[in-house]
Amino acid sequence: MAAKSIHTKLFGRALLSFPSRTLYRSSHTPSTMTSLSARIVIRAANRELEVPTGLFINNEFVPSADSPNDLIHLVNPATEENICSVAAGSVKDIDIAVTAARKAFNTTWGKNVTGFERSKLLNKLADLIERDQDILAEVESLNNGKPFKIARDFDIGDSIQCLRYYAGWADKITGQTIEVDNKTKLAFTRHDPIGVCGQIIPWNYPINMWAWKVAPALACGCTIVMKPSELTPLTALMLSKLIVEAGFPPGVVNTIPSLGSVGGAALSMHMDVDKVAFTGSTVTGRKVMEAAAKSNLKKVSLELGGKSPQLVFESADLEQAANWACLGILYNTGQDCTAGSRLYVQDTIYNKFVSLLVSKAKELVIGDGFDEKSGGGPLVSKTQFDKVWRYIESGQAQGAKVALGGQKRPGKGFFVDPTIFTDINANMDIVRDEIFGPVLAVGRFKTEEEAVSLANDTSYGLGAGLHSNDANQCMRVSSALEAGTVWINQYNLLNNNVPFGGKKQSGIGRELGSYALEEYTSVKAIHWNFGEKLDWPL
């Protein structure tokens, strides 16, 4: 996922083996459980909010049907303090939500409403999110850790635009008329809504990923069972309230906070789910695809991991290339599926560029999300913090040189400062593996051919970037790079009308643009005979 977007890694190491420490048996009183909401304090805004904490099914917040005392405890990554607890959905809860979504699809949504009506509701939802933009950004910052200003202006601003973009598509989904025999026959196609969609979203862009999944699905007439990350479910639950206020019928959107090994696995295996969309790790994406194949061969779209390269050629504007390289690895504190975590610089400018890069990376303030000076926040969890530090320690142990960072901060919070390694080689873990933190590996190349070879030497293919003022070189290299998205003289910026997705082990299918509509429709061919008479027997 990119600067206006994307991405996660924690539906679990695998569908059937997720760390259970995030789920606790509740010690709350029954009255607390039945309230299905919690009061949280946003100290920086001097604001107290009531947030929903139940499961959202049929436009109502409800407790779990069979495990009402199982809760997921949420932690503020900047302070390590508990925020509140939300209901942990079970397999039975997923089944109930799917039943609600199927009923809505067959009665009040699907083919039962016009594209104009779907457009009107999507636009209304966008208006409500815009109205509540500050409050949603405060909760996003509290739960995820990212700076409030970035959550408000980029994540949520982009999500509003995404909803309005797909609202415009809702009444423009068309098929084809195909000539067969003008005198006797006609064929045409319909692009029907695919049905009930399971949508599994990550923790790095909770609201943005919600919009990317929900908007095209609703525009096409699908119904949804949404499983937000168990680390960051609060804004998905708040958005569920806005679903009701916007006027969507019950069952069209359902939200089930749950562990990946429970809710994610249940959606992927469910026999009455027609399509599953997942954003997360490649390891878990394989499990989702396997479950889909073993159940009802449901349609699958996967936006998975990356180890994206950036190439800096000697003709580039070095100041700008350094700015974009910093954005590529440090935006969202590196918790981004398209993070430009491998940087290769032409040898003739290598020393100059690395010095410039380090000086610019030092300028970014990683701090509390409610501090106006912060351009990046903490990592989302202790698990992610420990993982990133294992890679930093691995880079040092394997012989890479630390040009910046590499030292732990004292005190509370899952903060990791920008870390830049040089003197790397292709066999190092920091070069091969997706780290999902602010850790950059910088190498060098002599020729264009070597640069392309280094860039493509990965099992991933989500994003890539190149910086050059040679137009012919830009065309040659962008064509040769094996990635679903290639940026030239920029990095990590996405647009709602441009498709996004991966090659190789970075995924299947596309999000955004008109291409995303194909993920939520099925093409039906209709053959109409109006003139041919069949003689029988043959």
Side-chain angles (χ1 to χ4, degrees):
M1 246 272 122
K4 293 177 74 176
S5 98
I6 228 126
H7 192 78
T8 181
K9 301 310 151 211
L10 234 54
F11 169 143
R13 294 178 62 88
L15 270 171
L16 302 178
S17 60
F18 191 89
S20 60
R21 60 181 176 273
T22 54
L23 179 64
Y24 300 87
R25 182 65 60 177
S26 171
S27 60
H28 290 236
T29 64
S31 61
T32 303
M33 290 303 301
T34 56
S35 69
L36 299 176
S37 65
R39 299 200 71 80
I40 61 175
V41 176
I42 311 292
R43 296 189 185 97
N46 195 28
R47 195 196 306 270
E48 186 173 329
L49 299 172
E50 184 169 344
V51 295
T53 57
L55 312 178
F56 182 72
I57 302 174
N58 267 330
N59 279 10
E60 295 181 342
F61 289 98
V62 297
S64 172
D66 58 352
S67 54
N69 292 324
D70 283 351
L71 299 176
I72 299 170
H73 296 333
L74 307 179
V75 174
N76 179 342
T79 64
E80 302 183 44
E81 297 173 350
N82 287 334
I83 301 171
C84 66
S85 302
V86 301
S90 66
V91 172
K92 183 175 182 180
D93 296 318
I94 292 289
D95 193 52
I96 294 169
V98 170
T99 299
R102 178 62 64 190
K103 181 179 178 181
F105 182 77
N106 290 336
T107 57
T108 59
W109 202 247
K111 299 177 184 179
N112 303 290
V113 294
T114 66
F116 174 79
E117 291 171 302
R118 297 195 300 273
S119 176
K120 183 179 178 181
L121 289 173
L122 280 166
N123 275 312
K124 176 63 173 176
L125 179 60
D127 291 344
L128 294 173
I129 294 174
E130 189 170 43
R131 180 197 69 189
D132 293 350
Q133 197 163 353
D134 280 2
I135 292 173
L136 288 165
E138 288 166 3
V139 176
E140 192 87 321
S141 182
L142 185 74
N143 195 184
N144 168 277
K146 68 178 60 191
F148 163 77
K149 62 185 179 184
I150 289 175
R152 179 193 61 202
D153 298 339
F154 297 132
D155 290 25
I156 300 175
D158 183 66
S159 298
I160 294 166
Q161 185 188 70
C162 182
L163 288 163
R164 289 177 175 154
Y165 172 78
Y166 284 106
W169 270 110
D171 60 353
K172 301 173 186 68
I173 298 170
T174 59
Q176 298 178 350
T177 301
I178 303 167
E179 181 182 337
V180 177
D181 183 333
N182 286 332
K183 295 179 179 179
T184 61
K185 294 183 180 180
L186 172 70
F188 61 94
T189 62
R190 294 177 54 96
H191 288 232
D192 290 336
I194 199 165
V196 175
C197 299
Q199 299 187 323
I200 304 164
I201 60 172
W203 45 255
N204 58 334
Y205 295 94
I207 291 179
N208 218 174
M209 292 299 92
W210 187 92
W212 280 27
K213 297 284 192 290
V214 165
L218 293 181
C220 291
C222 298
T223 56
I224 295 166
V225 178
M226 171 68 68
K227 195 209 84 68
S229 167
E230 62 273 25
L231 297 177
T232 55
L234 287 181
T235 47
L237 294 170
M238 294 173 72
L239 292 168
S240 299
K241 290 181 67 176
L242 300 186
I243 287 286
V244 179
E245 187 175 351
F248 286 89
V252 172
V253 176
N254 307 273
T255 306
I256 310 295
S258 176
L259 299 185
S261 57
V262 179
L267 281 172
S268 301
M269 287 293 295
H270 204 288
M271 295 297 291
D272 202 28
V273 169
D274 300 299
K275 184 256 168 66
V276 62
F278 170 72
T279 296
S281 71
T282 298
V283 170
T284 303
R286 285 195 180 95
K287 295 293 183 179
V288 170
M289 197 167 184
E290 179 183 6
K294 287 183 175 179
S295 52
N296 59 345
L297 277 174
K298 59 179 64 66
K299 189 172 185 176
V300 173
S301 58
L302 305 171
E303 197 268 277
L304 305 177
K307 191 66 180 175
S308 300
Q310 290 201 66
L311 305 176
V312 181
F313 291 93
E314 60 187 359
S315 68
D317 179 331
L318 299 190
E319 283 278 343
Q320 279 297 300
N323 288 346
W324 289 110
C326 284
L327 181 74
I329 188 58
L330 300 180
Y331 188 81
N332 213 38
T333 322
Q335 299 170 115
D336 195 305
C337 62
T338 54
S341 55
R342 293 184 297 137
L343 180 66
Y344 297 103
V345 184
Q346 197 151 21
D347 57 355
T348 54
I349 57 169
Y350 179 86
N351 291 331
K352 179 180 180 180
F353 186 80
V354 169
S355 177
L356 182 61
L357 178 73
V358 169
S359 68
K360 287 183 176 291
K362 286 179 179 179
E363 295 173 1
L364 183 71
V365 176
I366 302 290
D368 189 286
F370 291 100
D371 186 338
E372 184 65 26
K373 298 190 297 293
S374 295
L379 300 183
V380 75
S381 68
K382 181 66 161 59
T383 298
Q384 190 65 17
F385 176 85
D386 289 343
K387 174 190 171 184
V388 170
W389 270 105
R390 283 196 299 271
Y391 276 107
I392 292 173
E393 291 164 356
S394 168
Q396 294 170 325
Q398 292 179 350
K401 178 182 177 182
V402 179
L404 179 67
Q407 294 184 337
K408 285 187 177 181
R409 285 192 190 184
K412 291 286 189 179
F414 307 130
F415 296 100
V416 177
D417 289 314
T419 300
I420 297 175
F421 285 101
T422 59
D423 295 349
I424 61 170
N425 66 63
N427 297 317
M428 292 178 175
D429 292 340
I430 58 171
V431 177
R432 308 303 304 177
D433 297 347
E434 183 176 44
I435 299 173
F436 230 61
V439 181
L440 177 63
V442 183
R444 66 178 80 202
F445 64 88
K446 291 182 179 295
T447 66
E448 181 180 305
E449 292 73 20
E450 183 186 7
V452 170
S453 177
L454 287 167
N456 289 340
D457 184 19
T458 175
S459 61
Y460 296 109
L462 194 57
L466 69 108
H467 303 270
S468 169
N469 280 324
D470 180 336
N472 292 335
Q473 184 175 64
C474 289
M475 289 300 294
R476 288 193 305 269
V477 175
S478 63
S479 177
L481 290 171
E482 297 171 354
T485 297
V486 176
W487 288 278
I488 301 174
N489 295 326
Q490 60 175 330
Y491 197 80
N492 237 14
L493 297 184
L494 299 174
N495 301 92
N496 286 302
N497 57 349
V498 180
F500 175 77
K503 299 181 71 171
K504 299 195 280 190
Q505 294 185 39
S506 286
I508 297 170
R510 289 296 179 266
E511 301 199 85
L512 300 181
S514 61
Y515 291 83
L517 301 171
E518 299 173 11
E519 304 297 334
Y520 293 98
T521 56
S522 61
V523 179
K524 178 188 294 182
I526 298 174
H527 298 259
W528 188 353
N529 173 20
F530 55 84
E532 182 184 23
K533 304 299 181 182
L534 177 65
D535 293 329
W536 192 261
L538 298 176

